[in-house]
């Protein structure tokens, strides 16, 4: 760069601002990096901070060059490429840290600040929660303060921070206008490249022993729901997910998808809305039994709500369900046949079920006997059941007798089919926790559950939850109360830390509000808002026009405010200029460089009739502008005397 | 009212009395006094016989200061200015004999005839207000005021002061020829030397110190600082000057303007005060660009004043 004047070297205060800003920026993303890259970032930053602390010189450029090559090679080794979000973010983060080793002049400082700005933006591709936003805002405040210190060093810390806060406050109205009015594309706020779905958890379309119990260790939120009125009792909160039909002896899988034959449109339903976290699967969760699917989704023959595409961003939908509804009462034998198929293993339960069926032809009695079997024998409800072998169902029912809900549901459905009763496994979530702060029901991964449905002639599909027979508390009150003490549970799902739970309730309520109003502000909501403001069917042109007009108005308002502030301090000056204009009309113009005393003497000499007034005005002006005279009274006096002065035209 | 009213009114008296001897030079008297009150040093640049020495005599007399004169020559040594230690046989020890610089008012005649070595010894004493001689630091009296004169024409055998040394002088003024009336009075009147001898001091040294202290208290408003800044800014930007005014020059400008305001019996500085002292303070610190060079300081300053509007 052929800059004529080299930019000045950085002072220690400026350096500390830059390091603080970079620290906050890095803190937002370092934990999402691959472990060794994250460790490298932490190590390099600590090294840089130590150099700053000990006032030691920065490393030479060739060493930095080597480091750049090393970290680039590291990123390439980890990701196998440079393209894509993961390697891009990692590279950017490492380069920011290395840039900190190059902070010599103000130019480097500006570069580091803008790199930090960019990295803050990149963080939002990965996380958009409240905590990320708070961190980013703090980092922004410090970074702008760093810029302020680069522009004008000799000030106090508080001055830089105040200036930074003021600038951000001035930017806020513009941010709001842009946020509310910038034409939205369909889809999430942050469009993400395709490698973003790796870390999402949730139920899958198959179930084998252990698959749900492992999910139960996660305290992550699956979805939130809000009912129009009071939510139904805990025991009725069965959130229907994948329905599993085919069994291979170990794993239950969903059957082929079939469209609903006839939608049961019952009037008596429960209205609620669900905000579903992304889980990269097509199904939407709905309270058993959903009556109709929301837009862009449909109801399957097994009463699953299926979206058109996998859920890859948080979505919100309105649902209506009927808690007690007879399903497919008139199903024919052919359509029920797949619900009777069994693999050839597990002979003991097969024999037992067949025997039960022979003894009592009534299907209800068979179901009751099976449940009695669970209740009568010493079965345990546990998150850590022993591993099962070839004949898993037999082993569980007659030997280990320890299992989680998937074991019970699986064994129950197996037994029913063996007894000739059509049955299927339904997975989903059971229960949910009502957040007392905002009234939303929160359903977590730890609420994952599996239950059974049996088809009885005349009654249709009926829900039977064998877990309720073993551990009724699971269904009545939740997982924490159903497990024996000492079982490991997600820390926050424990009931005994009440203050912690209160804190979590509040934090989650804030997070939910953030999700609903900030992240959930999509094109749909934008249209709603604008139509509430009186814009019918706003298209992007209208929105852009409105946005431009509002921004211009804001800018004008801000300018007026600044000018007014300046004007109020300069009322003295305005009055003095007015005097000059008045006298200029009678040929006594003030030279731009002429001082007040000289001017008043000149005027007094030329116009003895005005001498007294002009001298008094000059004395007031001198006192106000160059002396220690302050106060409204003197200012008003000055303005009044200037206004009253009537220099007649020169004769 | 401030306690300095009595000394301040005697300032007027001093100016009045000096004006009766140094005829028609009230402006120069006021500037010299302002320079003294601002704790600066004064360089008078003019031809011989224009009343430079007279002005120094009159000031010393009126302000009750003890007075020394150094006539500079090319063979002068620093010791001739600051003094020398001489071995005394009676005591068997060296005793320091202070040079002429140990006086409250020192008139340094034809400073550009001294060698750079002697010049720098003097200028260092002026800046530090102390003298280091043979490992011992001796404070100069307080108040300490140097009036130096120099011939404006650089003759053979002179060593013109470099710019950095010129900066040590708060002001540089010229005396100029007296106007007709003043000259007639001068020619008709009594011998100036006798008049000086008959002068009574108007002020004591301690009152002078008090006044010097009061100068610091003269109010300078933000608007005035803005004016000084725009003057300095203009000299740095405008192509008419080789180099702009340094921050030290801007400070000197403020200091001199404060003293000028005090002499004008005001406790606040007006833009007029800046404009009044600007030729004396900025004249020797600004080099006009181009070959002209011979422009009078007053003209440079007038152009500068007219170029910078009051903020």
């Amino acid at each position: 760069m052929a800059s004529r004047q080299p930019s000045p070297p950085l002072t220690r205060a400026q350096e500390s601002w830059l390091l603080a800003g970079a620290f906050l920026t890095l803190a937002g993303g370092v934990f999402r990096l691959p472990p060794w890259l994250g460790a490298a970032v932490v190590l390099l930053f600590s090294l840089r901070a130590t150099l700053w602390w000990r006032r030691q010189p920065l490393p030479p450029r060739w060493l930095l060059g080597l480091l750049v090559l090393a970290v680039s090679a590291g990123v390439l080794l980890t990701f196998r490429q440079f393209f894509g979000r993961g390697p891009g973010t990692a590279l950017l983060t490492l380069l920011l840290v290395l840039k900190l080793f190059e902070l010599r002049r103000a130019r480097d400082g500006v570069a580091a600040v803008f790199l930090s700005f960019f990295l803050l933006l990149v963080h939002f591709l990965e996380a958009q929660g409240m905590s990320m936003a708070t961190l980013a805002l703090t980092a922004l405040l410090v970074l702008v303060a760093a810029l302020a210190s680069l522009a004008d060093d000799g000030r106090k810390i508080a001055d830089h921070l105040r200036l930074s806060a003021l600038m951000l406050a001035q930017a806020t109205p513009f941010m709001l206008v842009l946020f509310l009015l910038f034409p939205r594309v369909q889809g999430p706020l942050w469009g993400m490249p395709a490698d973003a779905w790796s870390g999402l958890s949730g139920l899958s379309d198959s179930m084998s022993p252990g698959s749900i119990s492992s999910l139960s260790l996660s305290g992550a939120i699956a979805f939130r729901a809000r009912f129009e009125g009071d939510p139904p009792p805990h025991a009725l909160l069965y959130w229907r997910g994948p329905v599993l039909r085919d069994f291979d002896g170990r794993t239950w899988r969903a059957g082929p998808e079939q469209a609903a034959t006839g939608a049961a449109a019952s009037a008596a339903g429960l209205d609620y809305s669900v905000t579903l976290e992304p889980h990269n699967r097509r199904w939407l969760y709905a309270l058993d039994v959903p009556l109709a699917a929301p837009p862009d989704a449909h109801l399957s023959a097994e009463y699953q709500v299926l979206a058109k595409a996998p859920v890859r961003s948080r979505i919100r939908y309105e649902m209506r369900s009927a808690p007690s509804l007879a399903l497919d009462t008139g199903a024919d034998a052919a359509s029920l046949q797949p619900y009777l198929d069994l693999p050839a293993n597990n002979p003991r339960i097969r024999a037992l079920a067949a025997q039960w069926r022979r003894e009592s032809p009534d299907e209800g009695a068979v179901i009751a006997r099976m449940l009695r079997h669970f209740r009568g024998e010493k079965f345990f409800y546990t998150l850590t059941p022993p591993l099962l072998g070839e004949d898993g169902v037999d082993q569980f029912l007659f030997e280990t007798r320890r299992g989680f809900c998937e074991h019970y549901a699986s064994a129950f459905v197996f037994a029913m089919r063996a007894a000739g009763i059509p049955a299927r496994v339904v997975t989903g979530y059971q229960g949910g926790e009502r957040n007392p702060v905002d009234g939303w029901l929160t359903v977590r991964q730890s609420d994952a559950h599996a239950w059974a449905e049996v088809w009885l002639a005349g009654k249709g599909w009926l829900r039977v939850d064998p877990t309720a027979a073993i551990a009724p508390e699971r269904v009545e009150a939740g997982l924490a109360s159903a497990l024996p003490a000492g079982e490991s549970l997600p820390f926050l799902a424990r009931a005994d830390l009440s203050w912690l739970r209160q804190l979590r309730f509040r934090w989650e309520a804030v997070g939910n509000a953030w999700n609903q109003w900030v992240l959930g502000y999509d094109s749909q909501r934008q249209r709603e808002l604008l139509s509430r403001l009186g814009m019918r069917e706003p298209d992007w042109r209208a929105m852009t026009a409105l946005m431009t007009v509002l921004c211009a108005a804001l800018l004008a308002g801000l300018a007026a405010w600044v000018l007014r502030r300046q004007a109020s301090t300069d009322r003295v000056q305005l009055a003095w200029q007015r005097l000059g204009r008045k006298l200029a009309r009678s040929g006594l113009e003030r030279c731009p460089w002429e001082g007040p005393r000289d001017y008043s003497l000149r005027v007094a000499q030329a116009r003895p009739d005005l001498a007294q007034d002009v001298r008094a005005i000059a004395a007031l002006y001198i006192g106000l502008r160059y002396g220690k005279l302050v106060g409204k009274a003197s200012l008003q006096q000055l303005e009044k005397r200037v206004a009253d002065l009537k220099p007649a035209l020169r004769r | 009212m401030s306690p300095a009213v009595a000394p301040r009114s005697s300032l007027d008296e001093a100016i009045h009395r000096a004006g009766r001897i140094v005829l028609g030079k009230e402006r120069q008297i006021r500037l010299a006094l302002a320079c003294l009150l601002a704790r600066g040093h004064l360089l008078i640049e003019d031809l011989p016989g224009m009343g430079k020495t007279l002005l120094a005599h009159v000031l010393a007399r009126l302000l009750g200061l003890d007075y020394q004169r150094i006539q500079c020559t090319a063979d002068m040594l620093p010791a001739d200015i600051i003094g020398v230690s001489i071995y005394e046989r009676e005591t068997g020890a060296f005793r320091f004999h202070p040079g002429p610089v140990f006086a409250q008012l020192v008139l340094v005649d034809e400073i550009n005839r001294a060698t750079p070595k002697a010049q720098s010894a003097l200028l260092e004493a002026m800046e530090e207000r102390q003298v280091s001689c043979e490992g011992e630091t001796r404070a100069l009296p307080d108040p300490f005021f140097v009036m130096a004169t120099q011939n404006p024409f650089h003759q053979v055998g002179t060593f013109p002061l470099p710019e950095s040394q010129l900066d040590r002088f708060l002001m540089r003024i010229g005396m100029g020829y007296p106007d007709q009336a003043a000259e007639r009075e001068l020619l008709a009147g009594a011998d100036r030397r006798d008049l000086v001898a008959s002068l009574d001091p108007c002020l004591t040294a301690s009152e002078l110190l008090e006044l010097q202290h009061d100068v610091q208290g003269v109010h300078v408003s933000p608007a005035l600082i803005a004016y000084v800044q725009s003057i300095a800014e203009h000299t740095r930007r405008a192509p008419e000057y080789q180099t702009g005014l340094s921050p030290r020059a801007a400070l000197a400008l403020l200091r001199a303007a404060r003293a000028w305001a005090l002499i004008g019996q005001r406790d606040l500085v007006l833009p007029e005060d800046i404009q009044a002292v600007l030729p004396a303070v900025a004249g020797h610190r600004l080099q006009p660009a181009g070959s002209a060079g011979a422009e009078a300081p007053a003209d440079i300053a007038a152009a500068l004043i007219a170029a910078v509007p009051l903020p």
Side-chain angles (χ1 to χ4, degrees), chain A residues 26-85:
Chain A
L26 293 170
V30 73
F31 306 107
R32 274 188 297 273
L33 292 178
W36 79 265
L37 286 177
V41 169
V42 171
L43 190 76
L44 284 169
F45 188 85
S46 323
L47 194 65
R48 179 62 184 91
T50 314
L51 289 184
W52 171 82
W53 180 251
R54 296 201 180 154
R55 297 166 190 264
Q56 276 167 350
L58 296 176
R61 286 191 191 261
W62 62 264
L63 190 60
L64 282 180
L66 280 185
L67 274 172
V68 168
L69 285 182
V71 299
S72 308
V75 168
L76 196 58
L77 276 179
T78 311
F79 293 95
R80 305 268 161 222
Q81 60 170 345
F82 280 130
F83 300 101
R85 204 191 52 197

Side-chain angles (χ1 to χ4, degrees), chain A residues 301-314:
Chain A
E302 292 174 320
Y303 294 88
Q304 272 193 76
V305 186
L306 292 170
K308 278 184 182 148
V311 180
R312 286 180 172 168
S313 62
R314 189 178 291 109

